[in-house]
Amino acid sequence: MKASHFPYIALGLGLTLLLAVIKGSEQTSEGETLLPLLTLLLMSEFAVIVNAIGAYLGIKQIRTAGATPAYTLIIFTCMLLCVIFLYLGFRLWPL
């Protein structure tokens, strides 16, 4: 696999995990989440790491080969997903 393809994989995985975390963090009538809290936190942390690596490799690719609008949008979306998952992870953590 080329490193220039990783942002596409990170984006797809990030969007899939975003749906799982949002749906799994819904609370039941007893106040528990649909998925265990540790699972939700692990998915959020993994998605932050994957999307951060995807954004880094994408920026590195843009510096060497030049930017296209579609590739730039993918990298921006990876950065946005990284921030969203970071926020979701902190929001899920019980105080």
Side-chain angles (χ1 to χ4, degrees):
M1 176 186 83
K2 291 184 177 181
S4 62
H5 295 172
F6 192 78
Y8 297 108
I9 296 169
L11 179 65
L13 188 60
L15 292 174
T16 304
L17 287 174
L18 183 64
L19 291 174
V21 169
I22 289 175
K23 182 65 178 167
S25 63
E26 292 178 359
Q27 293 187 351
T28 62
S29 58
E30 292 85 27
E32 297 176 356
T33 56
L34 294 175
L35 289 175
L37 180 61
L38 187 58
T39 303
L40 293 170
L41 290 170
L42 186 64
M43 286 192 307
S44 293
E45 181 180 355
F46 179 71
V48 166
I49 293 168
V50 166
N51 282 296
I53 292 171
Y56 170 75
L57 291 175
I59 290 170
K60 192 174 170 183
Q61 175 68 22
I62 282 179
R63 286 186 176 173
T64 60
T68 62
Y71 202 70
T72 305
L73 180 64
I74 299 247
I75 294 167
F76 177 74
T77 309
C78 283
M79 288 189 277
L80 183 64
L81 281 174
C82 186
V83 172
I84 289 171
F85 277 113
L86 191 63
Y87 170 74
L88 287 174
F90 282 125
R91 197 187 78 190
L92 286 170
W93 191 258
L95 295 176

